[in-house]
Amino acid sequence: MTNLFEGRGIAARDKIVNNNSGAIFINDKGEAIELYDILYFPEIGRFENDKKDEVENPMRGRDKTIAAIAEWLDSSNIKPENFKMVNNPMMAAALSIWRDQKGELLAYGRYTTQIRAGALGINWTNTQFARETGYSSDDISTKSENIALKASDLFTSEPMTVPEILTIINNLPDTLPEDIREIIPALLNAVARGEETYVPDAFQHRAVIEKYVGEYAAAIAIITGNFVSGNYDDVQTEVLAPQDVDWSDMTLAQFPTSTTQALVDSYVLSEDRSARIAISSKARRGGASASLTSVARILDDKADKFDSNFLAKNEELIHGINLLAKNSTNEGVYKTGKLYNFVSDNDIKIIEYLMNSFDKDEKILTTNLKKLAKSYPNKQFLPKTLMHPNYNLGYRLIAALARKVSKYLNNLGPTELFRAILAQSSMIQVYASTRKRGDSLAFVDFKVVFPATFTGTIIFDAQTNFFSTDKPKGRISFKLKG
């Protein structure tokens, strides 16, 4: 992993690709980018110069580096204008991949003489990165990103009134920094009062405030009606009225603690809990994966809302969703893998044996399993994977099978189906906006979007929960690519 921090490698930091949440860097405009992934070219060492008498068309090592990066860029979703190498070509390089607040991916790369083995693959300090890109992770913002300010850090999953939320916020744990314990209550009490109050020293924490605090600020705004704009009244007419309630009845907020509800940041409920609206307050289009269970539930509960021809057209996709959502993590992968003839019952028994025994002997692999092993991980990363102390051949095979199943389903073009299903949910999107005055910050707007709008491609995702070095973390999910 690249060292973007003075004295410590970014291996110690969170990345979106691993944990759905990455380290945040900020520029002097207050714009934030979040660390998505790190890539090396080559993974270890450097591209050597070809000897003229040994190959027909010899290449210099630095040209091989350029070619490798160009090939990767061509297959990525990164726009050319969002890509920058910060120095002149050499015989190796590292790319840091980031996601901005609009959900777009961008990459900053640095050439180097070679990629070192171990955590600090390249010496790319925070000072260099800030000078070359304009984004820095100063001590204050870095520390605040690690502060326990997620809704799951502060609240239980029990529904609460706005005063109950504020009671918790007004008594934040002593483990939080003193300035945070003053800034966050001031911001949220202002939202509850409907006052545009600029809180001193809050700007230095802007990225974290918008990313985490904005989630529960949005719930407060929706319940109180303060600072709301957009389709707030449309939700009243189209979602609440059919349930015989209105916004004045929606007095409770609930914050899900399960990571499988990644699209939902909070719920607003009526006092008797008979009516409920899901809120997504993420100010970006792509990112975290979400559970297929909710998708399957909508298909079951609102089957009459879908045209029969539409359901027939997507029958294979729907069958796949139900198999994955209504079975355990492993069984869902096995049943879909068998359905698509990727594995047999005997193959599944071998995978289970390998996961439980940590036996790494590939001699017992069947033809199907040998194909799976070749498909994941990429040859470039295989040597490092095999050397990992937690490497497990069984984990690798089920991860490969999950990826193969996801690829098969994605080739069926699931975006239209997912959009149609999500449109039948009672989800609304709420985008929190802050305004800066000097070093002060205030929440000034909460824009309601309904029906929820999901742009870009929606795909099945196996990468979030399946690895070669750990047992599956959850079912195959779905993901908005943006």
Side-chain angles (χ1 to χ4, degrees), residues 400-417:
L401 181 58
R403 282 161 172 75
K404 198 169 182 69
V405 165
S406 295
K407 183 178 180 181
Y408 179 90
L409 291 168
N410 287 333
N411 286 339
L412 297 177
T415 297
E416 181 185 11
L417 175 65

Side-chain angles (χ1 to χ4, degrees), residues 149-175:
L149 283 176
K150 297 178 183 178
S152 58
D153 295 322
L154 303 176
F155 309 113
T156 68
S157 59
E158 284 298 309
M160 296 174 288
T161 63
V162 169
E164 288 171 334
I165 294 172
L166 293 176
T167 297
I168 294 173
I169 294 300
N170 291 333
N171 295 277
L172 290 173
D174 292 339
T175 52

Side-chain angles (χ1 to χ4, degrees), residues 222-223 232 235-236 240 245-250 268 277 428:
I222 290 299
I223 291 174
Y232 188 73
V235 178
Q236 161 80 35
L240 298 180
V245 295
D246 58 31
W247 277 122
S248 65
D249 297 307
M250 309 300 282
V268 171
I277 292 177
I428 65 174

